[in-house]
mmCIF file of all heavy atoms in Angstrom:
data_model
loop_
_atom_site.group_PDB
_atom_site.id
_atom_site.type_symbol
_atom_site.label_atom_id
_atom_site.label_comp_id
_atom_site.label_asym_id
_atom_site.label_seq_id
_atom_site.Cartn_x
_atom_site.Cartn_y
_atom_site.Cartn_z
ATOM 1 N N VAL B 27 -14.859 -12.395 4.754
ATOM 2 C CA VAL B 27 -13.405 -12.417 4.923
ATOM 3 C C VAL B 27 -13.000 -13.609 5.747
ATOM 4 O O VAL B 27 -13.833 -14.174 6.461
ATOM 5 C CB VAL B 27 -12.862 -11.149 5.607
ATOM 6 C CG1 VAL B 27 -13.044 -9.940 4.736
ATOM 7 C CG2 VAL B 27 -13.473 -10.946 6.964
ATOM 8 N N SER B 28 -11.742 -13.961 5.666
ATOM 9 C CA SER B 28 -11.207 -14.997 6.542
ATOM 10 C C SER B 28 -10.716 -14.349 7.813
ATOM 11 O O SER B 28 -10.097 -13.288 7.779
ATOM 12 C CB SER B 28 -10.035 -15.701 5.849
ATOM 13 O OG SER B 28 -10.452 -16.284 4.644
ATOM 14 N N GLY B 29 -11.008 -14.948 8.926
ATOM 15 C CA GLY B 29 -10.539 -14.404 10.190
ATOM 16 C C GLY B 29 -11.394 -13.259 10.690
ATOM 17 O O GLY B 29 -12.505 -13.020 10.201
ATOM 18 N N ASN B 30 -10.869 -12.526 11.659
ATOM 19 C CA ASN B 30 -11.616 -11.407 12.241
ATOM 20 C C ASN B 30 -11.630 -10.208 11.307
ATOM 21 O O ASN B 30 -10.580 -9.801 10.800
ATOM 22 C CB ASN B 30 -10.986 -11.016 13.585
ATOM 23 C CG ASN B 30 -11.135 -12.118 14.614
ATOM 24 O OD1 ASN B 30 -12.148 -12.794 14.669
ATOM 25 N ND2 ASN B 30 -10.100 -12.310 15.412
ATOM 26 N N PRO B 31 -12.792 -9.635 11.087
ATOM 27 C CA PRO B 31 -12.865 -8.532 10.116
ATOM 28 C C PRO B 31 -12.531 -7.182 10.746
ATOM 29 O O PRO B 31 -12.881 -6.916 11.882
ATOM 30 C CB PRO B 31 -14.322 -8.566 9.703
ATOM 31 C CG PRO B 31 -15.045 -9.081 10.915
ATOM 32 C CD PRO B 31 -14.115 -10.029 11.589
ATOM 33 N N TYR B 32 -11.829 -6.365 9.958
ATOM 34 C CA TYR B 32 -11.693 -4.924 10.256
ATOM 35 C C TYR B 32 -12.591 -4.218 9.265
ATOM 36 O O TYR B 32 -12.368 -4.313 8.053
ATOM 37 C CB TYR B 32 -10.240 -4.479 10.047
ATOM 38 C CG TYR B 32 -9.233 -4.927 11.086
ATOM 39 C CD1 TYR B 32 -9.488 -5.999 11.919
ATOM 40 C CD2 TYR B 32 -8.024 -4.262 11.220
ATOM 41 C CE1 TYR B 32 -8.556 -6.428 12.854
ATOM 42 C CE2 TYR B 32 -7.081 -4.661 12.151
ATOM 43 C CZ TYR B 32 -7.353 -5.753 12.971
ATOM 44 O OH TYR B 32 -6.423 -6.153 13.896
ATOM 45 N N LEU B 33 -13.563 -3.486 9.770
ATOM 46 C CA LEU B 33 -14.606 -2.933 8.905
ATOM 47 C C LEU B 33 -14.633 -1.417 8.989
ATOM 48 O O LEU B 33 -14.386 -0.852 10.059
ATOM 49 C CB LEU B 33 -15.972 -3.498 9.314
ATOM 50 C CG LEU B 33 -16.119 -5.007 9.101
ATOM 51 C CD1 LEU B 33 -17.158 -5.576 10.037
ATOM 52 C CD2 LEU B 33 -16.492 -5.279 7.655
ATOM 53 N N PHE B 34 -14.946 -0.781 7.878
ATOM 54 C CA PHE B 34 -14.908 0.674 7.777
ATOM 55 C C PHE B 34 -16.120 1.194 7.004
ATOM 56 O O PHE B 34 -16.650 0.515 6.137
ATOM 57 C CB PHE B 34 -13.648 1.141 7.043
ATOM 58 C CG PHE B 34 -12.354 0.646 7.633
ATOM 59 C CD1 PHE B 34 -11.888 -0.632 7.365
ATOM 60 C CD2 PHE B 34 -11.611 1.452 8.472
ATOM 61 C CE1 PHE B 34 -10.690 -1.095 7.906
ATOM 62 C CE2 PHE B 34 -10.421 1.013 9.029
ATOM 63 C CZ PHE B 34 -9.984 -0.276 8.739
ATOM 64 N N TRP B 35 -16.524 2.409 7.329
ATOM 65 C CA TRP B 35 -17.452 3.171 6.514
ATOM 66 C C TRP B 35 -16.801 4.496 6.133
ATOM 67 O O TRP B 35 -16.225 5.178 6.997
ATOM 68 C CB TRP B 35 -18.761 3.431 7.266
ATOM 69 C CG TRP B 35 -19.767 2.324 7.158
ATOM 70 C CD1 TRP B 35 -20.076 1.406 8.117
ATOM 71 C CD2 TRP B 35 -20.605 2.042 6.034
ATOM 72 N NE1 TRP B 35 -21.032 0.545 7.642
ATOM 73 C CE2 TRP B 35 -21.395 0.913 6.373
ATOM 74 C CE3 TRP B 35 -20.790 2.629 4.775
ATOM 75 C CZ2 TRP B 35 -22.334 0.347 5.518
ATOM 76 C CZ3 TRP B 35 -21.713 2.072 3.925
ATOM 77 C CH2 TRP B 35 -22.479 0.959 4.290
ATOM 78 N N TYR B 36 -16.955 4.826 4.832
ATOM 79 C CA TYR B 36 -16.483 6.104 4.323
ATOM 80 C C TYR B 36 -17.647 6.802 3.631
ATOM 81 O O TYR B 36 -18.549 6.156 3.094
ATOM 82 C CB TYR B 36 -15.354 5.896 3.296
ATOM 83 C CG TYR B 36 -14.021 5.539 3.900
ATOM 84 C CD1 TYR B 36 -13.716 4.213 4.198
ATOM 85 C CD2 TYR B 36 -13.064 6.511 4.166
ATOM 86 C CE1 TYR B 36 -12.492 3.872 4.737
ATOM 87 C CE2 TYR B 36 -11.843 6.176 4.709
ATOM 88 C CZ TYR B 36 -11.567 4.858 4.984
ATOM 89 O OH TYR B 36 -10.335 4.525 5.529
ATOM 90 N N VAL B 37 -17.581 8.125 3.570
ATOM 91 C CA VAL B 37 -18.592 8.924 2.877
ATOM 92 C C VAL B 37 -17.891 9.769 1.818
ATOM 93 O O VAL B 37 -16.776 10.234 2.034
ATOM 94 C CB VAL B 37 -19.407 9.805 3.844
ATOM 95 C CG1 VAL B 37 -18.521 10.783 4.601
ATOM 96 C CG2 VAL B 37 -20.513 10.568 3.100
ATOM 97 N N GLN B 38 -18.558 9.905 0.687
ATOM 98 C CA GLN B 38 -18.009 10.741 -0.396
ATOM 99 C C GLN B 38 -19.053 11.743 -0.820
ATOM 100 O O GLN B 38 -20.113 11.392 -1.318
ATOM 101 C CB GLN B 38 -17.576 9.873 -1.579
ATOM 102 C CG GLN B 38 -16.909 10.671 -2.684
ATOM 103 C CD GLN B 38 -16.523 9.809 -3.850
ATOM 104 O OE1 GLN B 38 -17.144 8.810 -4.148
ATOM 105 N NE2 GLN B 38 -15.446 10.182 -4.545
ATOM 106 N N TYR B 39 -18.732 13.036 -0.638
ATOM 107 C CA TYR B 39 -19.577 14.108 -1.136
ATOM 108 C C TYR B 39 -19.174 14.435 -2.562
ATOM 109 O O TYR B 39 -18.044 14.122 -2.986
ATOM 110 C CB TYR B 39 -19.470 15.324 -0.227
ATOM 111 C CG TYR B 39 -19.933 15.047 1.180
ATOM 112 C CD1 TYR B 39 -19.019 14.777 2.203
ATOM 113 C CD2 TYR B 39 -21.285 14.977 1.467
ATOM 114 C CE1 TYR B 39 -19.453 14.479 3.484
ATOM 115 C CE2 TYR B 39 -21.728 14.676 2.754
ATOM 116 C CZ TYR B 39 -20.805 14.425 3.750
ATOM 117 O OH TYR B 39 -21.242 14.126 5.010
ATOM 118 N N PRO B 40 -20.062 15.035 -3.338
ATOM 119 C CA PRO B 40 -19.787 15.300 -4.773
ATOM 120 C C PRO B 40 -18.433 16.002 -4.985
ATOM 121 O O PRO B 40 -18.109 16.956 -4.309
ATOM 122 C CB PRO B 40 -20.962 16.180 -5.194
ATOM 123 C CG PRO B 40 -22.063 15.787 -4.270
ATOM 124 C CD PRO B 40 -21.413 15.478 -2.954
ATOM 125 N N ASN B 41 -17.682 15.444 -5.920
ATOM 126 C CA ASN B 41 -16.381 16.008 -6.325
ATOM 127 C C ASN B 41 -15.383 16.093 -5.171
ATOM 128 O O ASN B 41 -14.525 16.965 -5.163
ATOM 129 C CB ASN B 41 -16.576 17.400 -6.941
ATOM 130 C CG ASN B 41 -17.470 17.348 -8.168
ATOM 131 O OD1 ASN B 41 -17.281 16.509 -9.047
ATOM 132 N ND2 ASN B 41 -18.450 18.222 -8.200
ATOM 133 N N ARG B 42 -15.511 15.195 -4.218
ATOM 134 C CA ARG B 42 -14.591 15.178 -3.084
ATOM 135 C C ARG B 42 -14.029 13.757 -2.914
ATOM 136 O O ARG B 42 -14.573 12.790 -3.442
ATOM 137 C CB ARG B 42 -15.330 15.569 -1.785
ATOM 138 C CG ARG B 42 -15.987 16.939 -1.808
ATOM 139 C CD ARG B 42 -14.966 18.051 -1.711
ATOM 140 N NE ARG B 42 -14.268 18.032 -0.452
ATOM 141 C CZ ARG B 42 -14.708 18.583 0.656
ATOM 142 N NH1 ARG B 42 -15.875 19.205 0.665
ATOM 143 N NH2 ARG B 42 -13.990 18.525 1.775
ATOM 144 N N GLY B 43 -12.958 13.676 -2.143
ATOM 145 C CA GLY B 43 -12.418 12.364 -1.791
ATOM 146 C C GLY B 43 -13.257 11.696 -0.720
ATOM 147 O O GLY B 43 -14.205 12.267 -0.207
ATOM 148 N N LEU B 44 -12.872 10.483 -0.372
ATOM 149 C CA LEU B 44 -13.590 9.762 0.675
ATOM 150 C C LEU B 44 -13.184 10.275 2.037
ATOM 151 O O LEU B 44 -12.014 10.552 2.293
ATOM 152 C CB LEU B 44 -13.277 8.261 0.589
ATOM 153 C CG LEU B 44 -14.106 7.460 -0.406
ATOM 154 C CD1 LEU B 44 -13.765 7.809 -1.839
ATOM 155 C CD2 LEU B 44 -13.911 5.953 -0.157
ATOM 156 N N GLN B 45 -14.175 10.354 2.920
ATOM 157 C CA GLN B 45 -13.910 10.773 4.294
ATOM 158 C C GLN B 45 -14.279 9.633 5.229
ATOM 159 O O GLN B 45 -15.316 9.011 5.082
ATOM 160 C CB GLN B 45 -14.755 11.987 4.656
ATOM 161 C CG GLN B 45 -14.424 13.236 3.870
ATOM 162 C CD GLN B 45 -15.339 14.382 4.268
ATOM 163 O OE1 GLN B 45 -15.771 14.499 5.412
ATOM 164 N NE2 GLN B 45 -15.626 15.257 3.316
ATOM 165 N N PHE B 46 -13.414 9.383 6.190
ATOM 166 C CA PHE B 46 -13.616 8.314 7.159
ATOM 167 C C PHE B 46 -14.785 8.658 8.077
ATOM 168 O O PHE B 46 -14.891 9.780 8.588
ATOM 169 C CB PHE B 46 -12.347 8.150 7.961
ATOM 170 C CG PHE B 46 -12.463 7.263 9.158
ATOM 171 C CD1 PHE B 46 -12.527 5.899 9.008
ATOM 172 C CD2 PHE B 46 -12.513 7.811 10.427
ATOM 173 C CE1 PHE B 46 -12.636 5.079 10.135
ATOM 174 C CE2 PHE B 46 -12.626 7.011 11.545
ATOM 175 C CZ PHE B 46 -12.680 5.626 11.388
ATOM 176 N N LEU B 47 -15.688 7.692 8.309
ATOM 177 C CA LEU B 47 -16.789 7.861 9.229
ATOM 178 C C LEU B 47 -16.571 7.084 10.516
ATOM 179 O O LEU B 47 -16.726 7.649 11.615
ATOM 180 C CB LEU B 47 -18.100 7.370 8.609
ATOM 181 C CG LEU B 47 -18.878 8.296 7.699
ATOM 182 C CD1 LEU B 47 -20.134 7.604 7.213
ATOM 183 C CD2 LEU B 47 -19.212 9.592 8.429
ATOM 184 N N LEU B 48 -16.267 5.802 10.393
ATOM 185 C CA LEU B 48 -16.095 4.992 11.598
ATOM 186 C C LEU B 48 -15.464 3.658 11.199
ATOM 187 O O LEU B 48 -15.387 3.312 10.016
ATOM 188 C CB LEU B 48 -17.435 4.738 12.287
ATOM 189 C CG LEU B 48 -18.611 4.262 11.464
ATOM 190 C CD1 LEU B 48 -18.562 2.770 11.215
ATOM 191 C CD2 LEU B 48 -19.940 4.597 12.134
ATOM 192 N N LYS B 49 -15.015 2.937 12.236
ATOM 193 C CA LYS B 49 -14.414 1.636 11.983
ATOM 194 C C LYS B 49 -14.711 0.700 13.147
ATOM 195 O O LYS B 49 -14.922 1.125 14.296
ATOM 196 C CB LYS B 49 -12.901 1.759 11.789
ATOM 197 C CG LYS B 49 -12.149 2.229 13.031
ATOM 198 C CD LYS B 49 -10.653 2.358 12.722
ATOM 199 C CE LYS B 49 -9.904 2.944 13.927
ATOM 200 N NZ LYS B 49 -8.463 3.137 13.619
ATOM 201 N N TYR B 50 -14.718 -0.587 12.810
ATOM 202 C CA TYR B 50 -14.813 -1.647 13.831
ATOM 203 C C TYR B 50 -13.566 -2.496 13.715
ATOM 204 O O TYR B 50 -13.266 -3.036 12.644
ATOM 205 C CB TYR B 50 -16.062 -2.504 13.603
ATOM 206 C CG TYR B 50 -16.072 -3.714 14.515
ATOM 207 C CD1 TYR B 50 -16.548 -3.627 15.809
ATOM 208 C CD2 TYR B 50 -15.567 -4.940 14.087
ATOM 209 C CE1 TYR B 50 -16.535 -4.716 16.665
ATOM 210 C CE2 TYR B 50 -15.539 -6.032 14.922
ATOM 211 C CZ TYR B 50 -16.025 -5.914 16.214
ATOM 212 O OH TYR B 50 -15.989 -7.005 17.037
ATOM 213 N N ILE B 51 -12.873 -2.612 14.844
ATOM 214 C CA ILE B 51 -11.699 -3.487 14.907
ATOM 215 C C ILE B 51 -11.997 -4.629 15.868
ATOM 216 O O ILE B 51 -11.821 -5.799 15.552
ATOM 217 C CB ILE B 51 -10.446 -2.721 15.356
ATOM 218 C CG1 ILE B 51 -10.208 -1.496 14.435
ATOM 219 C CG2 ILE B 51 -9.230 -3.645 15.373
ATOM 220 C CD1 ILE B 51 -9.921 -1.843 13.005
ATOM 221 N N THR B 52 -12.413 -4.272 17.072
ATOM 222 C CA THR B 52 -12.744 -5.258 18.073
ATOM 223 C C THR B 52 -13.572 -4.569 19.147
ATOM 224 O O THR B 52 -13.696 -3.337 19.147
ATOM 225 C CB THR B 52 -11.479 -5.882 18.684
ATOM 226 O OG1 THR B 52 -11.866 -6.942 19.579
ATOM 227 C CG2 THR B 52 -10.690 -4.842 19.474
ATOM 228 N N GLY B 53 -14.180 -5.345 20.043
ATOM 229 C CA GLY B 53 -14.891 -4.720 21.167
ATOM 230 C C GLY B 53 -16.373 -4.602 20.931
ATOM 231 O O GLY B 53 -17.011 -5.484 20.352
ATOM 232 N N ASP B 54 -16.935 -3.475 21.360
ATOM 233 C CA ASP B 54 -18.376 -3.244 21.309
ATOM 234 C C ASP B 54 -18.895 -3.393 19.888
ATOM 235 O O ASP B 54 -18.314 -2.857 18.943
ATOM 236 C CB ASP B 54 -18.662 -1.822 21.804
ATOM 237 C CG ASP B 54 -19.828 -1.783 22.764
ATOM 238 O OD1 ASP B 54 -20.468 -2.835 22.932
ATOM 239 O OD2 ASP B 54 -20.062 -0.703 23.338
ATOM 240 N N ASN B 55 -20.032 -4.079 19.771
ATOM 241 C CA ASN B 55 -20.606 -4.294 18.437
ATOM 242 C C ASN B 55 -21.211 -3.025 17.837
ATOM 243 O O ASN B 55 -21.374 -2.918 16.634
ATOM 244 C CB ASN B 55 -21.675 -5.376 18.474
ATOM 245 C CG ASN B 55 -21.045 -6.756 18.670
ATOM 246 O OD1 ASN B 55 -19.848 -6.935 18.495
ATOM 247 N ND2 ASN B 55 -21.861 -7.722 19.035
ATOM 248 N N LEU B 56 -21.541 -2.059 18.679
ATOM 249 C CA LEU B 56 -22.086 -0.785 18.212
ATOM 250 C C LEU B 56 -20.970 0.244 18.224
ATOM 251 O O LEU B 56 -20.426 0.592 19.280
ATOM 252 C CB LEU B 56 -23.251 -0.348 19.090
ATOM 253 C CG LEU B 56 -24.012 0.907 18.591
ATOM 254 C CD1 LEU B 56 -24.659 0.618 17.246
ATOM 255 C CD2 LEU B 56 -25.038 1.328 19.629
#
Side-chain angles (χ1 to χ4, degrees):
Chain B
V27 293
S28 301
N30 294 322
Y32 287 19
L33 295 154
F34 304 82
W35 275 103
Y36 285 84
V37 59
Q38 185 181 29
Y39 298 100
N41 300 312
R42 302 286 296 276
L44 276 69
Q45 295 179 32
F46 169 75
L47 277 181
L48 50 81
K49 65 181 176 183
Y50 172 84
I51 305 296
T52 186
D54 225 353
N55 288 344
L56 187 63

